[in-house]
Amino acid sequence: MENEILLETHPWEPFVPDGARVLIMGTFPPQPKRWSMDFYYPNRTNDFWPMMGLIYYGDRRALLQPDGRHFDLDKIKRMLTENHIALHDTGRQVRRLKGNASDKFLEIVTPVPLYDILAGMPDCHTIATTGEKAAGVISLLTGTPLPRMGEMVISSDGLNIWRMPSTSRAYPLPLEQKAAYYTTMLRNI
């Protein structure tokens, strides 16, 4: 019993603002002890929110509260809504094989019901994945080849599927270069 790996269920519903045109999908949130907020990309050491601050405000710290230590969730949700960006992850249920947030040691037991989510997003024809593991899950769900990093494939039902670089700081790419990849994708929507 001590060695049994727990099954975790995703803690959040998809964030889908009206008129969402892109669904950005990671793999699965880190353990709650790593959260700095109760929302997507909650880990302060992840580059997602600094990258989005850089893209939309020209400042990597733009989505932080004045204390510089906590994310400003209201500002984040406004930015996502104004830019028609939805968020969710590819894993509905997972097992952490090493007890950490690394995708390398994350077993996707049950993927999200992608087409059910997209059914509630009539203006969304683009999916962008944040990393290779999420891209692999979407590839399986859509029957598409795995795109190369920074590139797009089109599914048989017309979805534009982009594979973006991971926003984990473990991924060895400077924030500005990550932002350049995401900016290219966002401009294509």
Side-chain angles (χ1 to χ4, degrees), residues 31-189:
Q31 299 115 318
K33 68 183 178 184
R34 303 260 185 246
W35 297 0
S36 64
M37 66 177 169
D38 193 12
F39 193 66
Y40 292 90
Y41 303 96
N43 190 336
R44 280 271 297 120
T45 63
N46 189 288
D47 278 337
F48 190 81
W49 297 120
M51 179 189 71
M52 296 301 274
L54 193 58
I55 291 169
Y56 286 103
Y57 300 99
D59 179 3
R60 68 186 306 150
R61 300 178 55 78
L63 296 170
L64 290 171
Q65 293 179 359
D67 68 8
R69 299 182 53 160
H70 299 92
F71 293 114
D72 186 333
L73 187 53
D74 290 335
K75 189 171 185 178
I76 285 170
K77 287 182 177 181
R78 270 193 317 277
M79 182 270 305
L80 293 170
T81 300
E82 289 168 2
N83 293 287
H84 309 286
I85 299 170
L87 298 176
H88 200 36
D89 289 315
T90 56
R92 170 66 51 95
Q93 292 184 308
V94 303
R95 285 192 182 93
R96 295 181 201 278
L97 304 178
K98 295 280 186 179
N100 61 29
S102 172
D103 279 0
K104 183 177 179 181
F105 302 111
L106 193 67
E107 174 191 6
I108 305 276
V109 176
T110 308
V112 295
L114 178 63
Y115 286 98
D116 290 348
I117 294 166
L118 290 172
M121 302 172 61
D123 298 323
C124 183
H125 305 288
T126 302
I127 296 171
T129 59
T130 60
E132 185 175 7
K133 182 137 194 148
V137 173
I138 295 303
S139 176
L140 289 172
L141 293 175
T142 60
T144 55
L146 185 69
R148 291 175 34 170
M149 204 251 308
E151 295 184 4
M152 174 191 73
V153 297
I154 301 174
S155 70
S156 61
D157 52 359
L159 283 172
N160 297 320
I161 302 167
W162 290 79
R163 176 180 163 195
M164 300 284 88
S166 170
T167 57
S168 167
R169 291 215 183 133
Y171 188 74
L173 192 65
L175 178 67
E176 293 75 15
Q177 288 181 343
K178 291 177 186 181
Y181 277 103
Y182 281 80
T183 298
T184 297
M185 178 271 299
L186 291 163
R187 284 185 178 152
N188 274 279
I189 298 172

